[in-house]
Amino acid sequence: MSVRTGRWRLAGVIGDAGLPAAGADTGTGWELAVDDGVIATLRPAPAGSAAAPTLVLCPPLLNGHDHGRGPGTVDAGIPDAPLEDWLDLLGRPVRPRGQDELVGLAADAMLRAGVGAAVFCVNPTGPDVVDEVRAAARAAYTRGIRAAVVFPVLDAGGDRRGRRRDARGAGAAAADALIAEVERLAGELADEVAGTPAAGLVDLQFGPVGPQWVAEATLARLAEHSAATGRRLHLHLLESPAQRAWADEVYPEGLLPAMDRLGLLTERTTVAHGTQLRDDELALLDERGVTLALNASSNLRLASGVAPVARAAAKVRAACLGLDGLALSDDHDGWAELRLARGLWQAQTHRRVPGAEALALATAAGRAAFGAAAPAPPAEGRPADFVLLDLSPWRHLFGHPDWPLADIAVAAAGPARVAEVWVAGTRVHHRPEPSSRPEPSSAQAHRPREVPA
Ligand SMILES: [Zn+2]
């Protein structure tokens, strides 16, 4: 029986674009009520209310680029390596799994960490791609996570280093057949969940894997289809030094202007990584309203470079974060990824980045990547999409001028602090009940621990 109703007294609310009184931290706390999946009350508690407890509402973290790698690549037996070598290893896992496990187990771990939505770019493990994308979508919506499920398109990938400029690809008839197949699948998936709480959780998208592996004509056809129907595109872009070298050799006048001419750079497109993007290219992405998903951990593990967090945050309004299924500890922990991204941002600018600015990368900035499956910012009258963080270890910082709630969360939150996760009106995760052992008082805390007999 799914839980779709609840009532809480909160210590405060960490804001998001669109939330009234965003970022407010009040002395008396906030009231939150969810009735049948809809936020009925979200407002400061009346003055004189009882002291607030330690739960804090936060928008769900959004994972703007991932693949669904189950318990991670260590479990699969795939060692980290430079991207082009690693892609070979990826196809030969020591422990193979199907999409149900790859996406399902990853989704479970993300939800435990407070990640309420993820982009799953399906890496096929066998010949039946349609079947695998269907399985990935079902794994996502049965877990209750919001998902952009991305259908891979790869028709000029013969040379790992990249195609020739005039590569023919699979041809127009094949592209049209693929588009028809994906549209059929989208209809089928929508019918499966119509009238259930899973309705609207999945947005199917086209995933030309990267410009170096898909023929120009196919890219143009997908862009045309996207313009006509609104269906989103999600591509890898300039992830590694080898991809940068390919782009500069094959498109000496610029890869991004060429992609722009093909119709790929619009507000309906997400590009992932962008590790090797230059400033003028970042500016063009912003001008066209493209979403850019940075993947800092993945870039380190695959020896791709250092995610350009500071430059992207300064130049691209829709710059967001993705885990790429390669979190440093293989734990899908969006908070640790956020701390890494904020750390890079600070190191690249030599200034302190406020928690709210960093948190925006992992929340509001990535919303467009999810198309119709995007969560609305938490507010009265909207479906319940939020995370309740238990920040009790840091309650002594509440109200301190140096410690807005967003700064506490960005500095210290993680799966262990995620008390509840609500997605599209349903509670999809809650922390196991706390043990009955009382917290030690501060006096007891300083006594040496008793050794059991
Ligand atoms: Zn990727």
Side-chain angles (χ1 to χ4, degrees):
M1 184 63 195
S2 63
V3 173
R4 292 176 58 82
T5 293
R7 225 155 277 278
W8 302 262
R9 172 61 65 81
L10 307 173
V13 166
I14 296 172
D16 189 358
L19 184 70
D25 306 322
T26 68
T28 55
W30 283 57
E31 294 178 332
L32 168 65
V34 175
D35 285 331
D36 195 23
V38 176
I39 298 175
T41 308
L42 179 58
R43 59 182 65 165
S49 303
T54 53
L55 284 183
V56 168
L57 178 141
C58 177
L61 300 186
L62 310 182
N63 179 355
H65 176 75
D66 208 289
H67 294 267
R69 303 195 202 273
T73 50
V74 178
D75 169 85
I78 301 163
D80 292 356
L83 175 70
E84 285 72 21
D85 304 331
W86 182 83
L87 288 171
D88 289 327
L89 301 167
L90 186 64
R92 294 185 269 113
V94 176
R95 174 182 280 169
R97 295 177 186 270
Q99 294 298 337
D100 179 55
E101 281 194 315
L102 289 171
V103 171
L105 296 175
D108 286 342
M110 289 179 204
L111 289 170
R112 285 197 294 274
V115 175
V119 175
F120 294 105
C121 297
V122 176
N123 279 340
T125 62
D128 192 341
V129 180
V130 174
D131 197 51
E132 292 200 44
V133 173
R134 185 191 290 111
R138 285 178 177 163
Y141 77 66
T142 53
R143 278 5 195 247
I145 197 167
R146 291 182 179 272
V149 176
V150 181
F151 193 106
V153 181
L154 183 79
D155 70 352
D159 186 343
R160 175 104 340 127
R161 288 166 306 164
R163 61 169 167 80
R164 295 203 325 269
R165 184 151 184 167
D166 60 355
R168 296 178 54 102
D176 284 345
L178 178 99
I179 287 170
E181 188 82 88
V182 172
E183 291 302 336
R184 243 194 319 275
L185 180 59
E188 180 194 323
L189 289 166
D191 288 348
E192 264 177 31
V193 295
T196 78
L201 285 184
V202 169
D203 189 62
L204 198 60
Q205 304 183 358
F206 284 99
V209 177
Q212 68 281 3
W213 297 319
V214 183
E216 279 195 359
T218 306
L219 292 170
R221 180 68 192 95
L222 291 171
E224 187 189 6
H225 181 73
S226 172
T229 62
R231 191 167 298 288
R232 291 188 63 88
L233 306 176
H234 187 110
L235 305 82
H236 293 76
L237 179 63
L238 293 178
E239 177 174 355
S240 67
Q243 290 176 17
R244 177 83 257 177
W246 169 83
D248 292 345
E249 186 192 323
V250 176
Y251 292 90
E253 82 289 11
L255 171 64
L256 270 79
M259 291 173 68
D260 196 27
R261 285 193 295 277
L262 292 170
L264 289 169
L265 302 187
T266 76
E267 69 288 349
R268 296 179 308 278
T269 293
T270 303
V271 295
H273 294 285
T275 323
Q276 307 293 329
L277 283 168
R278 297 177 182 136
D279 280 356
D280 58 318
E281 295 168 329
L282 290 168
L284 180 59
L285 292 180
D286 185 62
E287 219 173 288
R288 296 292 182 264
V290 175
T291 297
L292 167 63
L294 303 164
N295 300 267
S297 290
S298 166
N299 295 162
L300 298 175
R301 294 183 62 178
L302 303 187
S304 296
V306 177
V309 182
R311 290 190 297 121
K315 291 193 184 307
V316 184
R317 274 160 295 173
C320 65
L321 302 184
L323 289 161
D324 200 20
L326 286 163
L328 287 179
S329 303
D330 265 1
D331 54 5
H332 309 276
D333 180 356
W335 293 101
E337 186 70 16
L338 177 52
R339 275 190 282 285
L340 173 61
R342 185 210 209 180
L344 291 173
W345 190 350
Q346 294 185 151
Q348 290 161 347
T349 55
H350 311 296
R351 72 171 179 97
R352 193 179 80 85
V353 173
E357 270 184 57
L359 190 61
L361 287 181
T363 55
R367 200 169 279 132
F370 295 90
E380 291 182 356
R382 300 223 177 103
D385 277 280
F386 56 75
V387 173
L388 297 180
L389 294 173
D390 172 7
L391 298 182
S392 51
W394 306 284
R395 79 185 76 172
H396 56 290
L397 300 178
F398 290 1
H400 190 291
D402 290 344
W403 288 98
L405 292 173
D407 285 76
I408 301 176
V410 171
R417 306 320 313 170
V418 173
E420 298 194 26
V421 180
W422 288 67
V423 175
T426 301
R427 189 178 71 181
V428 291
H429 170 69
H430 66 100
R431 206 167 53 168
E433 293 309 313
S435 80
S436 57
R437 200 165 68 91
E439 281 184 42
S441 72
S442 53
Q444 286 169 324
H446 292 103
R447 281 213 312 254
R449 267 202 287 167
E450 287 168 33
V451 181

